[in-house]
Amino acid sequence: MNILIIGSGGREHAMGWKIKQSSKVDQLFFAPGNAGTSQIGVNLDTSVTDFQKIKTLALQNKIDLMLIGPEVPLVEGLHDFFASDTELKSVKVVGPKKEGAQLEGSKDFSKDFMMRHNIPTARYLTVTSENTDEGIAFLQTLKSPYVLKADGLAAGKGVLIIESLEETTKSLKVMLDGQFGDASRKVVIEEFLSGIEVSVFVITDGKSYKILPEAKDYKRIGEGDTGLNTGGMGAISPVLFANAEFMEKVEKRIIQPTISGLQKDNIEYCGFIFFGLISVNKEPFVIEYNARMGDPETEAVMLRIKSDFVDLLEGAATGTLENKTIEIDKRSAVAVMLVSGGYPGNYENGKVISGIESVTNSIVFHAGTKTDNGNIVTAGGRVVAVSSYGADMKSALETSYENAKIIQFDKKYYRKDLGFDL
């Protein structure tokens, strides 16, 4: 098969690395890809939301299967666009259609879905400029800290956690006034849950599902989980507290009701579901759904999938997933993200990266890189993920940290305390 991966980050590079190991692949393409993906496939120049251009590229390159990595083209309906075009109908697509992608695209939609299908989650109220007073009254029933979430996609920045009620009330009004554009014209106020988080992933054809390795990612820029939120500073799999007993609760109370809920609501779904979970006194609750794999979790999770990943993708796309098998590597896998100085605030691009070719015993997944005059240079806040296997988390991290020292670019930064809370 000729396979096209939509996206340009570490997640897409990691998926491509895994896909490349399959005997079912003829040619591998990325749109638009990065400096790392160009070493394992062909990069095609397009934006992830230029559906017409993606169509042209898919036809030119005789694509048989398309895997959609990021959330924006899913929420904007790239799968629907392919499904409704007679020339593209034969292309298998992995990634939900627009309606299913609302699990991520609208916090209000996903909370309503969880409530309807009795899936454990925090109490909430959706607020618009029409019912702000009701929102303020609801806040007064909650304990500090307070959680405000923009309803729509806000590039991972639309969640505020605030200690003071007075400040939360002000922030609510600022959000509703368009702080995050249209994404926060609706705001979900949520009860704060205290516990430890874990990311659980399934691949599904809408009827059957396979559970992928779980992971824990680290969102804060500073060590000890301090400072601003980022797109993710690294990830670890497996997660020790997500043992068989915990995962049985997750499957019975969360995964199964989600899949059957999609069927009851007549929502077609093919692709990945990311369950952002929190363990509160060993009981799992859903914080959020994503309609795709997480990043940087994918850069650890892909290392632990032993079976043919393309076989699973094909099963999801053709409704035959129940006949497929998934085999998990028992070893630990970690990803350590190297980021640009100043990220997640202002940072400079175009810094020359050296040392990647000297890395041993780790896999370097490119996130924000491009090629410029024969050099690989930085082209984003998160630059590369250094991913490694180990007999346990500690040994895997040691290998990644050794290699993180070898890779050089001006103002490089990474967290040296991943796994501190496990």
Side-chain angles (χ1 to χ4, degrees), residues 262-274:
L262 289 166
Q263 289 174 292
K264 283 175 192 160
D265 293 352
N266 293 315
I267 297 172
E268 265 184 65
Y269 201 102
C270 150
F272 299 96
I273 305 176
F274 164 131

Side-chain angles (χ1 to χ4, degrees), residues 120-122 193 246 254 276-280 283-288:
T121 189
L193 295 177
F246 181 82
I254 293 168
L277 305 181
I278 188 163
S279 171
V280 182
E283 303 298 328
F285 289 80
V286 180
I287 298 172
E288 63 172 356

Side-chain angles (χ1 to χ4, degrees), residues 158-324:
V159 178
L160 304 181
I161 298 172
I162 304 167
E163 291 294 333
S164 114
L165 181 59
E166 188 185 353
E167 200 187 323
T168 308
T169 306
K170 280 184 197 158
S171 294
L172 175 63
K173 289 172 180 168
V174 173
M175 283 177 84
L176 291 169
D177 280 344
Q179 180 182 5
F180 300 102
D182 286 343
S184 64
R185 298 291 177 198
K186 260 189 203 173
V187 173
V188 170
I189 300 172
E190 214 173 72
E191 170 191 27
F192 179 82
L193 295 177
S194 181
I196 187 163
E197 293 182 27
V198 60
S199 306
V200 170
F201 307 93
V202 301
I203 183 167
T204 181
D205 56 12
K207 309 182 296 290
S208 175
Y209 61 87
K210 303 287 180 206
I211 302 176
L212 306 181
E214 79 287 352
K216 180 159 190 354
D217 84 324
Y218 291 83
K219 282 274 183 277
R220 303 270 186 173
I221 189 70
E223 296 186 357
D225 276 345
T226 55
L228 294 171
N229 261 343
T230 70
M233 294 299 292
I236 285 165
S237 178
V239 180
L240 298 179
F241 73 82
N243 55 19
E245 186 188 359
F246 181 82
M247 288 303 291
E248 190 183 349
K249 291 176 184 173
V250 170
E251 187 167 11
K252 285 194 171 139
R253 299 178 195 174
I254 293 168
I255 296 173
Q256 287 171 356
T258 298
I259 304 296
S260 64
L262 289 166
Q263 289 174 292
K264 283 175 192 160
D265 293 352
N266 293 315
I267 297 172
E268 265 184 65
Y269 201 102
C270 150
F272 299 96
I273 305 176
F274 164 131
F275 301 86
L277 305 181
I278 188 163
S279 171
V280 182
N281 303 320
K282 301 187 177 174
E283 303 298 328
F285 289 80
V286 180
I287 298 172
E288 63 172 356
Y289 288 118
N290 288 168
R292 35 90 198 176
M293 287 295 287
D295 190 343
E297 294 100 328
T298 306
E299 291 93 307
V301 168
M302 286 296 130
L303 273 65
R304 297 196 59 225
I305 297 174
K306 275 175 96 168
S307 32
D308 187 328
F309 189 52
V310 175
D311 201 37
L312 293 171
L313 296 174
E314 226 183 342
T318 57
T320 58
L321 193 62
E322 66 180 336
N323 308 326
K324 309 293 182 185

Side-chain angles (χ1 to χ4, degrees), residues 8 82 150 266 271 328:
S8 63
F82 265 59
N266 293 315
I328 307 296

